[in-house]
Amino acid sequence: MLNRHEVFEVIAAVIADGGSADRAAVLAVTVEGLRDRALRQGYVIGDSAADSVEKVIVAALRPVDRVFRVAYDRYMVVLPHMRNEQHALLAATRLSQAFEVPVLDRGDPWRGRPVVGIALHPDHGSDPELLCRRAELALEEALRQGGQHLVHGESHDHAVISYEELREAVESNRLDTFLQPIWNLQTGRVAGAESLARWTSPHRGEVWPGYFVPFAEQTGLITALTNWSINATLRHAAALNHVPDLKFAINLSPRAFNQPGLVEKLTGALGIWGVAPERVIAEITETALVHDLDQTVSLLRRLRDRGLGVAIDDFGTGYASVAYLSKFPATELKIDLSLVSGMHGDARAARLVSGIIDMAHHLGLVAVGEGIEDGGTQSLLAEMGCDFGQGYHLGRPVPAADFVARCGGGNRV
Ligand code: C2E
Ligand code: CA
Ligand code: CA
């Protein structure tokens, strides 16, 4: 067990290393069930359970992340190089997922439930002690509310989305589909679009998908959300059937992979809307790849067999091993915006992206650069041979009807 001062030193080093513009997250984590196990079965078993929990936490995170046990049933986690709050929430979601299978301890399985409080540098402070206190306060608040993750400073109302409200919005088709254009960087023409969900709640206003998608994943609403997203996207794709080379990318959450009949649902919806499977790309994050290798590979293969494209999303966020890549029946590699947005004016970052593009091509994959925010990055990617690109500089996500209106008349530049 470490004392908190040692953790402060690690946080200070991470902050010094990353520079003032680099985000880092501090997570305070407790695992419900751990204390109970020690009190009921003895401290020796409790200690061994705490060690097993630490291993599960470490395995769920990236190699650069650091995990410290600071009290009987409490851990502090330091995550360097976070691109935003959502990135930290993704790590917290991964922690929750890792505990979905029982912890195996001395051959004896038991269930633990992690609860996480999050504070970000520089958003919530730059002093390590303050960041730790804010992460722990967020954890206390999460425990009080019975939630799973809470970011410091989030008001109760905003942080906790109501299950009923989201379920209602999904089931009564009150989410909106936005489409963000994807450009062919070599020809300078729009090649298709990625479908992104938007939710304007009557009580909370605009809710970011960075919140409601992980919430849907945690609460089982992801099946309904995925079905909604497939149908809503294909409805707009169908309106552009007369422009058959436009492709539509749909995000499939790793959780959607566990739902039976996903492939049938997708192909059924293609039939209903009369959209050719070759015009649809299923985007899955690296996270899904590491979650259940065999199941994911077989599902992706079935999608490919039916003619759909498969894109590996957010590549480079660090959760999947490069060695995994060659095993996946993917057609595209989407290079994460954290890599792409840093490359202009940074020769090393640019070489890394160039290497990833070459690697994608060697593996027979099409390379897509995400998060292109300026013309310099766009030209650099095009020079490097990157096939497709997406980002605010090329076009922000717009209501699907606007995209259809723009492309339906053949206006593709
Ligand atoms: P993603 O799949 O990586 O989607 C790209 C995100 O990057 C979008 O955020 C988009 O608005 C944003 N983006 C695009 N260009 C730029 C740029 O130049 N700079 C910056 N800084 N950002 C850019 P958005 O719409 O907030 O979505 C966040 C995430 O939520 C998505 O990340 C995706 O994982 C998830 N998501 C959104 N809609 C759906 C959905 O219908 N189903 C599922 N399962 N997930 C969804
Ligand atoms: Ca995506
Ligand atoms: Ca992405």
Side-chain angles (χ1 to χ4, degrees), residues 194 196 251 283 313-314 334 370:
E194 173 174 4
L196 296 161
N251 288 289
E283 290 199 2
D313 202 359
D314 299 345
K334 294 192 83 169
E370 291 192 289

Side-chain angles (χ1 to χ4, degrees), residues 131-213:
L131 284 167
C132 283
R133 278 198 290 123
R134 292 198 153 153
E136 292 208 67
L137 279 170
L139 169 61
E140 296 304 329
E141 184 61 18
L143 284 167
R144 210 175 56 73
Q145 294 177 5
Q148 273 191 308
H149 318 137
L150 196 65
V151 178
H152 164 75
E154 218 112 76
S155 79
H156 188 140
D157 280 346
H158 182 74
V160 182
I161 302 168
S162 133
Y163 175 87
E164 273 312 310
E165 209 192 336
L166 181 59
R167 188 185 61 76
E168 227 271 306
V170 174
E171 287 181 359
S172 54
N173 195 19
R174 281 196 286 99
L175 300 184
D176 296 308
T177 307
F178 273 49
L179 292 173
Q180 182 176 32
I182 297 176
W183 291 68
N184 182 322
L185 294 179
Q186 305 301 327
T187 63
R189 284 166 67 87
V190 173
E194 173 174 4
S195 170
L196 296 161
R198 293 287 177 269
W199 180 29
T200 310
S201 144
H203 308 295
R204 283 163 240 277
E206 214 170 284
V207 187
W208 197 31
Y211 282 111
F212 71 78
V213 173

Side-chain angles (χ1 to χ4, degrees), residues 76-400:
M76 298 302 289
V77 177
V78 184
L79 309 172
H81 315 307
M82 291 281 105
R83 66 170 191 262
N84 50 32
E85 184 178 307
Q86 192 195 337
H87 203 183
L89 279 165
L90 178 67
T93 304
R94 276 192 56 79
L95 274 187
S96 301
Q97 286 171 351
F99 283 89
E100 267 169 15
V101 289
V103 180
L104 256 191
D105 190 37
R106 302 173 158 213
D108 173 21
W110 62 281
R111 285 261 170 196
R113 176 183 176 271
V115 184
V116 183
I118 302 170
L120 289 166
H121 156 81
D123 313 59
H124 305 133
S126 290
D127 173 42
E129 196 244 10
L130 182 66
L131 284 167
C132 283
R133 278 198 290 123
R134 292 198 153 153
E136 292 208 67
L137 279 170
L139 169 61
E140 296 304 329
E141 184 61 18
L143 284 167
R144 210 175 56 73
Q145 294 177 5
Q148 273 191 308
H149 318 137
L150 196 65
V151 178
H152 164 75
E154 218 112 76
S155 79
H156 188 140
D157 280 346
H158 182 74
V160 182
I161 302 168
S162 133
Y163 175 87
E164 273 312 310
E165 209 192 336
L166 181 59
R167 188 185 61 76
E168 227 271 306
V170 174
E171 287 181 359
S172 54
N173 195 19
R174 281 196 286 99
L175 300 184
D176 296 308
T177 307
F178 273 49
L179 292 173
Q180 182 176 32
I182 297 176
W183 291 68
N184 182 322
L185 294 179
Q186 305 301 327
T187 63
R189 284 166 67 87
V190 173
E194 173 174 4
S195 170
L196 296 161
R198 293 287 177 269
W199 180 29
T200 310
S201 144
H203 308 295
R204 283 163 240 277
E206 214 170 284
V207 187
W208 197 31
Y211 282 111
F212 71 78
V213 173
F215 180 82
E217 288 175 335
Q218 284 163 28
T219 52
L221 283 171
I222 194 65
T223 308
L225 180 70
T226 305
N227 290 342
W228 169 83
S229 169
I230 291 171
N231 279 292
T233 310
L234 293 183
R235 182 163 71 84
H236 295 290
L240 288 168
N241 272 344
H242 60 290
V243 198
D245 58 334
L246 278 182
K247 297 195 178 194
F248 291 84
I250 302 177
N251 288 289
L252 295 182
S253 149
R255 291 304 180 82
F257 279 63
N258 299 330
Q259 88 184 64
L262 175 67
V263 176
E264 290 69 23
K265 258 179 209 142
L266 246 171
T267 45
L270 288 167
I272 289 169
W273 294 106
V275 175
E278 292 72 25
R279 297 180 62 210
V280 175
I281 299 160
E283 290 199 2
I284 50 150
T285 56
E286 283 185 304
T287 328
L289 305 188
V290 281
H291 204 55
D292 183 341
L293 189 70
D294 293 341
Q295 196 196 353
T296 308
V297 168
S298 100
L299 198 139
L300 296 185
R301 200 162 285 295
R302 286 164 60 213
L303 291 177
R304 287 290 309 280
D305 289 346
R306 284 163 173 78
L308 285 93
V310 168
I312 296 171
D313 202 359
D314 299 345
F315 182 77
T317 44
Y319 289 106
S321 133
V322 174
Y324 275 28
L325 265 189
S326 58
K327 296 195 174 62
F328 286 93
T331 50
E332 300 192 357
L333 189 70
K334 294 192 83 169
I335 307 167
D336 190 65
L337 57 86
S338 58
L339 294 176
V340 172
S341 62
M343 64 189 264
H344 196 46
D346 179 344
R348 275 170 67 98
R351 277 202 297 277
L352 177 63
V353 172
S354 173
I356 294 174
I357 294 168
D358 291 344
M359 179 191 71
H361 289 159
H362 284 308
L363 290 169
L365 303 173
V366 160
V368 187
E370 291 192 289
I372 301 174
E373 292 185 349
D374 53 73
T377 305
Q378 181 191 343
S379 340
L380 206 55
L381 280 171
E383 276 165 34
M384 289 171 176
C386 190
D387 308 277
F388 296 99
Q390 177 182 356
Y392 294 163
H393 175 69
L394 292 163
R396 288 185 178 257
V398 293

Side-chain angles (χ1 to χ4, degrees), residues 1 4 28-31 34-35 57 68-76 135-137 139-140 143:
M1 225 178 294
R4 282 180 170 72
V29 182
T30 190
V31 173
L34 189 54
R35 181 183 290 270
I57 297 176
F68 307 98
R69 186 171 164 214
V70 291
Y72 200 79
D73 56 353
R74 192 156 290 198
Y75 304 82
M76 298 302 289
E136 292 208 67
L137 279 170
L139 169 61
E140 296 304 329
L143 284 167

